[in-house]
PDB file of all heavy atoms in Angstrom:
ATOM      1  N   ASN Z 299      25.353 -10.747 -52.668  1.00  0.00           N
ATOM      2  CA  ASN Z 299      24.596 -10.786 -53.931  1.00  0.00           C
ATOM      3  C   ASN Z 299      23.893 -12.131 -54.102  1.00  0.00           C
ATOM      4  O   ASN Z 299      22.774 -12.189 -54.623  1.00  0.00           O
ATOM      5  CB  ASN Z 299      25.527 -10.517 -55.120  1.00  0.00           C
ATOM      6  CG  ASN Z 299      25.782  -9.029 -55.331  1.00  0.00           C
ATOM      7  OD1 ASN Z 299      24.935  -8.317 -55.875  1.00  0.00           O
ATOM      8  ND2 ASN Z 299      26.927  -8.540 -54.869  1.00  0.00           N
ATOM      9  N   PRO Z 330      18.705  -4.818 -47.168  1.00  0.00           N
ATOM     10  CA  PRO Z 330      17.438  -4.924 -47.922  1.00  0.00           C
ATOM     11  C   PRO Z 330      16.695  -6.251 -47.712  1.00  0.00           C
ATOM     12  O   PRO Z 330      15.513  -6.330 -48.015  1.00  0.00           O
ATOM     13  CB  PRO Z 330      17.895  -4.799 -49.392  1.00  0.00           C
ATOM     14  CG  PRO Z 330      19.229  -4.132 -49.342  1.00  0.00           C
ATOM     15  CD  PRO Z 330      19.853  -4.578 -48.054  1.00  0.00           C
ATOM     16  N   GLY Z 340      29.844 -14.828 -36.655  1.00  0.00           N
ATOM     17  CA  GLY Z 340      30.774 -15.809 -36.087  1.00  0.00           C
ATOM     18  C   GLY Z 340      31.706 -16.323 -37.165  1.00  0.00           C
ATOM     19  O   GLY Z 340      31.506 -16.069 -38.353  1.00  0.00           O
ATOM     20  N   PHE Z 361      31.149 -19.324 -49.261  1.00  0.00           N
ATOM     21  CA  PHE Z 361      31.813 -18.161 -49.856  1.00  0.00           C
ATOM     22  C   PHE Z 361      32.898 -17.593 -48.939  1.00  0.00           C
ATOM     23  O   PHE Z 361      33.786 -16.881 -49.421  1.00  0.00           O
ATOM     24  CB  PHE Z 361      30.813 -17.018 -50.095  1.00  0.00           C
ATOM     25  CG  PHE Z 361      29.793 -17.260 -51.167  1.00  0.00           C
ATOM     26  CD1 PHE Z 361      28.549 -17.797 -50.855  1.00  0.00           C
ATOM     27  CD2 PHE Z 361      30.056 -16.925 -52.487  1.00  0.00           C
ATOM     28  CE1 PHE Z 361      27.591 -18.002 -51.842  1.00  0.00           C
ATOM     29  CE2 PHE Z 361      29.109 -17.129 -53.482  1.00  0.00           C
ATOM     30  CZ  PHE Z 361      27.871 -17.668 -53.157  1.00  0.00           C
ATOM     31  N   SER Z 370      47.108 -10.502 -48.757  1.00  0.00           N
ATOM     32  CA  SER Z 370      47.790 -11.772 -48.462  1.00  0.00           C
ATOM     33  C   SER Z 370      49.301 -11.625 -48.568  1.00  0.00           C
ATOM     34  O   SER Z 370      50.051 -12.387 -47.958  1.00  0.00           O
ATOM     35  CB  SER Z 370      47.280 -12.888 -49.379  1.00  0.00           C
ATOM     36  OG  SER Z 370      47.882 -12.866 -50.657  1.00  0.00           O
ATOM     37  N   PRO Z 421      38.955 -27.541 -66.590  1.00  0.00           N
ATOM     38  CA  PRO Z 421      38.962 -28.304 -65.336  1.00  0.00           C
ATOM     39  C   PRO Z 421      40.173 -29.225 -65.195  1.00  0.00           C
ATOM     40  O   PRO Z 421      40.445 -29.717 -64.097  1.00  0.00           O
ATOM     41  CB  PRO Z 421      37.666 -29.114 -65.411  1.00  0.00           C
ATOM     42  CG  PRO Z 421      36.782 -28.339 -66.329  1.00  0.00           C
ATOM     43  CD  PRO Z 421      37.689 -27.710 -67.342  1.00  0.00           C
ATOM     44  N   TYR Z 425      47.024 -27.344 -61.054  1.00  0.00           N
ATOM     45  CA  TYR Z 425      47.051 -26.278 -60.054  1.00  0.00           C
ATOM     46  C   TYR Z 425      48.461 -25.687 -59.982  1.00  0.00           C
ATOM     47  O   TYR Z 425      49.442 -26.426 -59.948  1.00  0.00           O
ATOM     48  CB  TYR Z 425      46.632 -26.820 -58.675  1.00  0.00           C
ATOM     49  CG  TYR Z 425      45.128 -26.826 -58.461  1.00  0.00           C
ATOM     50  CD1 TYR Z 425      44.247 -27.151 -59.492  1.00  0.00           C
ATOM     51  CD2 TYR Z 425      44.590 -26.503 -57.231  1.00  0.00           C
ATOM     52  CE1 TYR Z 425      42.882 -27.134 -59.294  1.00  0.00           C
ATOM     53  CE2 TYR Z 425      43.215 -26.490 -57.017  1.00  0.00           C
ATOM     54  CZ  TYR Z 425      42.370 -26.810 -58.053  1.00  0.00           C
ATOM     55  OH  TYR Z 425      41.021 -26.792 -57.851  1.00  0.00           O
ATOM     56  N   ALA Z 436      43.675 -22.852 -53.316  1.00  0.00           N
ATOM     57  CA  ALA Z 436      43.996 -24.137 -53.954  1.00  0.00           C
ATOM     58  C   ALA Z 436      43.977 -25.250 -52.908  1.00  0.00           C
ATOM     59  O   ALA Z 436      43.416 -26.336 -53.134  1.00  0.00           O
ATOM     60  CB  ALA Z 436      45.367 -24.054 -54.625  1.00  0.00           C
ATOM     61  N   SER Z 459      36.073 -16.636 -62.439  1.00  0.00           N
ATOM     62  CA  SER Z 459      36.984 -15.537 -62.776  1.00  0.00           C
ATOM     63  C   SER Z 459      36.582 -14.271 -62.010  1.00  0.00           C
ATOM     64  O   SER Z 459      35.706 -14.313 -61.138  1.00  0.00           O
ATOM     65  CB  SER Z 459      36.944 -15.309 -64.286  1.00  0.00           C
ATOM     66  OG  SER Z 459      35.628 -14.991 -64.674  1.00  0.00           O
ATOM     67  N   GLN Z 466      30.847  -4.596 -53.895  1.00  0.00           N
ATOM     68  CA  GLN Z 466      32.232  -5.087 -53.866  1.00  0.00           C
ATOM     69  C   GLN Z 466      33.090  -4.126 -53.061  1.00  0.00           C
ATOM     70  O   GLN Z 466      33.023  -2.904 -53.244  1.00  0.00           O
ATOM     71  CB  GLN Z 466      32.797  -5.232 -55.283  1.00  0.00           C
ATOM     72  CG  GLN Z 466      34.207  -5.850 -55.284  1.00  0.00           C
ATOM     73  CD  GLN Z 466      34.696  -6.278 -56.648  1.00  0.00           C
ATOM     74  OE1 GLN Z 466      34.313  -5.698 -57.664  1.00  0.00           O
ATOM     75  NE2 GLN Z 466      35.526  -7.297 -56.702  1.00  0.00           N
ATOM     76  N   ARG Z 474      37.593   0.434 -56.564  1.00  0.00           N
ATOM     77  CA  ARG Z 474      38.595   1.431 -56.134  1.00  0.00           C
ATOM     78  C   ARG Z 474      38.661   2.565 -57.149  1.00  0.00           C
ATOM     79  O   ARG Z 474      38.678   3.751 -56.780  1.00  0.00           O
ATOM     80  CB  ARG Z 474      39.987   0.786 -55.988  1.00  0.00           C
ATOM     81  CG  ARG Z 474      41.000   1.796 -55.488  1.00  0.00           C
ATOM     82  CD  ARG Z 474      42.401   1.260 -55.361  1.00  0.00           C
ATOM     83  NE  ARG Z 474      43.264   2.307 -54.806  1.00  0.00           N
ATOM     84  CZ  ARG Z 474      44.562   2.392 -55.005  1.00  0.00           C
ATOM     85  NH1 ARG Z 474      45.197   1.453 -55.698  1.00  0.00           N
ATOM     86  NH2 ARG Z 474      45.250   3.393 -54.496  1.00  0.00           N
ATOM     87  N   VAL Z 483      39.829  11.748 -58.042  1.00  0.00           N
ATOM     88  CA  VAL Z 483      41.205  11.237 -57.977  1.00  0.00           C
ATOM     89  C   VAL Z 483      41.460  10.362 -59.202  1.00  0.00           C
ATOM     90  O   VAL Z 483      40.575   9.621 -59.640  1.00  0.00           O
ATOM     91  CB  VAL Z 483      41.394  10.392 -56.679  1.00  0.00           C
ATOM     92  CG1 VAL Z 483      42.748   9.697 -56.666  1.00  0.00           C
ATOM     93  CG2 VAL Z 483      41.206  11.263 -55.455  1.00  0.00           C
ATOM     94  N   ILE Z 510      24.820 -25.267 -60.616  1.00  0.00           N
ATOM     95  CA  ILE Z 510      25.672 -26.377 -60.147  1.00  0.00           C
ATOM     96  C   ILE Z 510      25.028 -27.077 -58.949  1.00  0.00           C
ATOM     97  O   ILE Z 510      25.016 -28.305 -58.855  1.00  0.00           O
ATOM     98  CB  ILE Z 510      27.089 -25.856 -59.796  1.00  0.00           C
ATOM     99  CG1 ILE Z 510      27.771 -25.310 -61.052  1.00  0.00           C
ATOM    100  CG2 ILE Z 510      27.926 -26.958 -59.160  1.00  0.00           C
ATOM    101  CD1 ILE Z 510      28.987 -24.431 -60.777  1.00  0.00           C
ATOM    102  N   LEU Z 538      37.046   5.871 -67.477  1.00  0.00           N
ATOM    103  CA  LEU Z 538      37.271   7.313 -67.735  1.00  0.00           C
ATOM    104  C   LEU Z 538      36.257   7.829 -68.745  1.00  0.00           C
ATOM    105  O   LEU Z 538      35.705   8.927 -68.580  1.00  0.00           O
ATOM    106  CB  LEU Z 538      38.709   7.533 -68.223  1.00  0.00           C
ATOM    107  CG  LEU Z 538      39.776   7.442 -67.123  1.00  0.00           C
ATOM    108  CD1 LEU Z 538      41.166   7.256 -67.717  1.00  0.00           C
ATOM    109  CD2 LEU Z 538      39.741   8.695 -66.235  1.00  0.00           C
ATOM    110  N   ILE Z 540      33.235   6.612 -69.253  1.00  0.00           N
ATOM    111  CA  ILE Z 540      31.929   6.669 -68.594  1.00  0.00           C
ATOM    112  C   ILE Z 540      31.806   7.949 -67.756  1.00  0.00           C
ATOM    113  O   ILE Z 540      30.745   8.573 -67.683  1.00  0.00           O
ATOM    114  CB  ILE Z 540      31.704   5.397 -67.723  1.00  0.00           C
ATOM    115  CG1 ILE Z 540      31.548   4.169 -68.623  1.00  0.00           C
ATOM    116  CG2 ILE Z 540      30.501   5.554 -66.797  1.00  0.00           C
ATOM    117  CD1 ILE Z 540      31.549   2.833 -67.891  1.00  0.00           C
ATOM    118  N   GLY Z 542      33.212  10.669 -68.523  1.00  0.00           N
ATOM    119  CA  GLY Z 542      33.352  11.816 -69.416  1.00  0.00           C
ATOM    120  C   GLY Z 542      34.725  12.460 -69.340  1.00  0.00           C
ATOM    121  O   GLY Z 542      34.865  13.664 -69.597  1.00  0.00           O
ATOM    122  N   ASP Z 570      27.624 -26.622 -71.505  1.00  0.00           N
ATOM    123  CA  ASP Z 570      27.101 -27.803 -72.209  1.00  0.00           C
ATOM    124  C   ASP Z 570      26.378 -28.766 -71.275  1.00  0.00           C
ATOM    125  O   ASP Z 570      25.309 -29.270 -71.593  1.00  0.00           O
ATOM    126  CB  ASP Z 570      28.235 -28.549 -72.932  1.00  0.00           C
ATOM    127  CG  ASP Z 570      28.747 -27.764 -74.124  1.00  0.00           C
ATOM    128  OD1 ASP Z 570      28.212 -26.664 -74.377  1.00  0.00           O
ATOM    129  OD2 ASP Z 570      29.688 -28.245 -74.789  1.00  0.00           O
ATOM    130  N   GLU Z 586      28.618   0.493 -66.438  1.00  0.00           N
ATOM    131  CA  GLU Z 586      27.843   1.732 -66.232  1.00  0.00           C
ATOM    132  C   GLU Z 586      26.860   1.561 -65.069  1.00  0.00           C
ATOM    133  O   GLU Z 586      26.724   2.453 -64.217  1.00  0.00           O
ATOM    134  CB  GLU Z 586      27.074   2.089 -67.508  1.00  0.00           C
ATOM    135  CG  GLU Z 586      27.945   2.756 -68.555  1.00  0.00           C
ATOM    136  CD  GLU Z 586      27.283   2.857 -69.930  1.00  0.00           C
ATOM    137  OE1 GLU Z 586      26.165   2.322 -70.109  1.00  0.00           O
ATOM    138  OE2 GLU Z 586      27.910   3.458 -70.816  1.00  0.00           O
ATOM    139  N   TYR Z 592      27.509   2.710 -57.268  1.00  0.00           N
ATOM    140  CA  TYR Z 592      28.442   3.349 -56.311  1.00  0.00           C
ATOM    141  C   TYR Z 592      28.105   4.826 -56.111  1.00  0.00           C
ATOM    142  O   TYR Z 592      28.251   5.362 -55.010  1.00  0.00           O
ATOM    143  CB  TYR Z 592      29.906   3.132 -56.739  1.00  0.00           C
ATOM    144  CG  TYR Z 592      30.387   1.739 -56.330  1.00  0.00           C
ATOM    145  CD1 TYR Z 592      30.226   0.655 -57.194  1.00  0.00           C
ATOM    146  CD2 TYR Z 592      30.930   1.483 -55.079  1.00  0.00           C
ATOM    147  CE1 TYR Z 592      30.616  -0.622 -56.824  1.00  0.00           C
ATOM    148  CE2 TYR Z 592      31.321   0.216 -54.688  1.00  0.00           C
ATOM    149  CZ  TYR Z 592      31.166  -0.835 -55.566  1.00  0.00           C
ATOM    150  OH  TYR Z 592      31.536  -2.099 -55.182  1.00  0.00           O
ATOM    151  N   THR Z 606      41.383   2.580 -46.689  1.00  0.00           N
ATOM    152  CA  THR Z 606      41.802   1.765 -47.833  1.00  0.00           C
ATOM    153  C   THR Z 606      42.888   2.490 -48.618  1.00  0.00           C
ATOM    154  O   THR Z 606      43.921   1.912 -48.974  1.00  0.00           O
ATOM    155  CB  THR Z 606      40.589   1.474 -48.753  1.00  0.00           C
ATOM    156  OG1 THR Z 606      39.582   0.849 -47.965  1.00  0.00           O
ATOM    157  CG2 THR Z 606      40.978   0.578 -49.918  1.00  0.00           C
ATOM    158  N   GLY Z 614      52.944   2.570 -52.016  1.00  0.00           N
ATOM    159  CA  GLY Z 614      53.227   3.238 -53.282  1.00  0.00           C
ATOM    160  C   GLY Z 614      52.242   2.859 -54.367  1.00  0.00           C
ATOM    161  O   GLY Z 614      52.528   2.896 -55.561  1.00  0.00           O
TER     162      GLY Z 614
END
Side-chain angles (χ1 to χ4, degrees):
N299 278 282
F361 291 93
S370 81
Y425 274 38
S459 59
Q466 185 168 29
R474 183 182 183 206
V483 173
I510 296 164
L538 285 163
I540 292 171
D570 289 359
E586 281 168 355
Y592 280 90
T606 304

